Amino acid sequence: MRMTPYALFGNVLAPEPLGRAAVVVEGGRILEIVRSPHLADLPRERREVPCLICPGFIDLQVNGAFGVEAGPDLEALAKLARELPKTGTTSFLPTAISWPTERYDSFLEVLKDASRLPGANILGAHIEGPFLSPARKGAHESAHLRPVNLGFTRRLADSGMVRVMTLAPELQGAKEAIRLLTEGGTVASAGHTDASYEETLRAIDAGLSMGTHLYNAMSPFTHRSPGAVGALLADDRVRAGIIADGVHVHEGALRLAHRQKGPEGLALVTDAMEAAGMPPGEYKLSGRKTRLEGGEARLPDGTLAGSALTMDRAVSNAVDLLGISIRDAVRMATQTPAEILGIHGKGRIVAGADADLVLLVPSGAVYETIVGGETVYAVSREEDRLPGSPRGSNRE
């Protein structure tokens, strides 16, 4: 870890716009923010960047990417941590879908070692299943779905490694499971659910605070039966993740969700599987064959099987599809997911926060990604210059 202070200065989104400012980093954390900086106010090591300086992106749902799956495989998790910074992601939750129950124990054991890997921070696990509705199972295997088991739920919550668990709140015992999860500091999220509007509200009363990939694999909104979608949209106590890839959610539905929840209540997630960041071809989701074609990952029967989305693309899509500012799109990828997890040291550029940053060029592409104050990804430089910057302007 670099202990000598240094500064980056340029246009800062914290995610609120700070204008021209310097972010001073020391010991892996943000030491201070200097507005309208003068060189005399900054450390000797400093760099001006003609980029947006943003908090690093936080992805709450990563089944895999770059040709590997999230699972009890330390090498695969190491590759995810190494490669995801290319997409601006500085923290993520490796996501386990419905598996045989013994596989979860192996996964959580491996995660203890993986949390110390270099690259993007592994914040813990997202367990998506196995307490899901057979009617809304999506790409989950029916054979791996289970009734709610409170002993297993308590074991997950007590592990200290599970940050989010997705379950169907209409299942018998689900409300008790939600209470166990929330008491243990785990976010209970509704997903792959056929719950009614009323059942979803009762789950929110019990402590459910998130919806997993809003609209997808959940009972839809209709005017006489608002379903899980209606409850998640209408209740301000709950936030939701959403897959802004132009495939999983229609642009109109995306706009409706944003209008109702706002950037404070809607988090961009990828739900990425191993095809993300890869060319078209054959891939797997928890052992099931999928095909990536035209940007869509599907099982042989046509069922969507996660996505090939990356967080940088999700932010750009949010700007384009919603017609919103880059500020709001960045908030949905940073502060909002951090708030869902109850993490105060990430998702914002403020004094005392972790120095997890992403530098975005005007097109929205990732130029550089910094985790804990250290650059973990950067596009190749010519004479140590950023594209479009005057010669010699980077360093003083």
Side-chain angles (χ1 to χ4, degrees):
M1 180 182 296
R2 186 193 305 192
M3 299 306 295
T4 304
Y6 71 92
L8 298 172
F9 57 106
N11 287 320
V12 177
L13 287 180
E16 63 275 13
L18 300 182
R20 181 174 168 77
V23 181
V24 181
V25 173
E26 183 179 33
R29 294 185 178 275
I30 297 170
L31 183 64
E32 63 176 329
I33 314 299
V34 182
R35 305 289 290 270
S36 302
H38 299 287
L39 295 183
D41 301 329
L42 303 178
R44 286 180 58 84
E45 186 179 348
R46 50 188 177 253
R47 180 154 56 99
E48 182 173 10
V49 291
C51 293
L52 282 176
I53 304 172
C54 306
F57 303 149
I58 302 170
D59 194 346
L60 302 177
Q61 194 172 5
V62 180
N63 305 291
F66 298 99
V68 298
E69 287 195 276
D73 181 338
L74 188 61
E75 289 186 9
L77 293 171
K79 184 171 184 179
L80 287 173
R82 186 172 64 249
E83 299 291 336
L84 286 173
K86 295 177 179 178
T87 72
T89 299
T90 56
S91 298
F92 70 106
L93 300 183
T95 301
I97 66 170
S98 296
W99 291 339
T101 51
E102 63 273 9
R103 185 173 167 86
Y104 294 109
D105 293 326
S106 301
F107 179 52
L108 297 180
E109 280 300 313
V110 170
L111 275 186
K112 292 177 182 178
D113 294 327
S115 62
R116 295 186 288 272
L117 290 168
N121 298 291
I122 294 177
L123 300 178
H126 180 159
I127 305 296
E128 187 185 359
F131 310 146
L132 308 179
S133 165
R136 303 284 178 183
K137 62 184 176 61
H140 292 242
E141 287 197 69
S142 298
H144 294 158
L145 303 185
R146 297 284 184 272
V148 173
N149 180 315
L150 296 181
F152 177 66
T153 303
R154 184 177 290 107
R155 193 161 83 241
L156 292 177
D158 290 347
S159 74
M161 297 302 297
V162 180
R163 303 305 296 260
V164 177
M165 185 171 186
T166 294
L167 74 171
E170 73 275 18
L171 298 181
Q172 184 174 354
K175 288 195 294 296
E176 291 79 5
I178 289 167
R179 293 190 185 99
L180 282 176
L181 292 168
T182 54
E183 288 169 4
T186 298
V187 174
S189 185
H192 292 274
T193 171
D194 206 34
S196 68
Y197 178 87
E198 292 77 15
E199 287 171 326
T200 308
L201 289 184
R202 287 195 289 272
I204 295 170
D205 290 339
L208 185 124
S209 60
M210 181 183 170
T212 298
H213 46 51
L214 181 67
Y215 296 117
N216 297 115
M218 61 178 61
S219 47
F221 175 89
T222 66
H223 66 296
R224 290 196 179 92
S225 180
V229 169
L232 294 172
L233 285 175
D235 199 307
D236 291 338
R237 294 174 293 173
V238 66
R239 293 181 169 101
I242 199 160
I243 308 169
D245 63 352
V247 176
H248 279 75
V249 180
H250 187 279
E251 178 180 337
L254 190 65
R255 287 177 178 267
L256 175 63
H258 180 264
R259 180 170 296 181
Q260 181 63 27
K261 306 300 288 186
E264 301 84 5
L266 205 59
L268 296 173
V269 300
T270 63
D271 195 22
M273 47 83 71
E274 72 171 37
M278 301 295 287
E282 300 285 342
Y283 297 95
K284 290 183 179 180
L285 177 64
S286 195
R288 305 186 75 184
K289 186 169 73 173
T290 66
R291 180 163 186 82
L292 175 65
E293 190 171 344
E296 302 178 17
R298 294 184 181 271
L299 298 178
D301 66 3
T303 301
L304 282 169
S307 85
L309 186 64
T310 56
M311 283 299 282
D312 55 338
R313 191 69 250 165
V315 170
S316 295
N317 286 348
V319 172
D320 294 341
L321 297 175
L322 291 170
I324 61 175
S325 66
I326 185 68
R327 166 195 177 178
D328 284 353
V330 165
R331 194 202 200 282
M332 293 163 67
T334 58
Q335 186 176 348
T336 300
E339 289 173 347
I340 287 172
L341 296 178
I343 295 175
H344 304 293
K346 295 186 184 295
R348 295 192 64 197
I349 299 177
V350 293
D354 293 340
D356 296 347
L357 306 168
V358 60
L359 310 185
L360 301 178
V361 299
S363 67
V366 175
Y367 178 73
E368 184 175 343
T369 304
I370 296 168
V371 176
E374 300 286 346
T375 296
V376 294
Y377 168 74
V379 299
S380 58
R381 297 177 181 174
E382 177 189 358
E383 297 179 359
D384 201 29
R385 290 189 294 123
L386 287 166
S389 64
R391 186 179 301 274
S393 66
N394 281 3
R395 300 186 188 274
E396 297 293 333

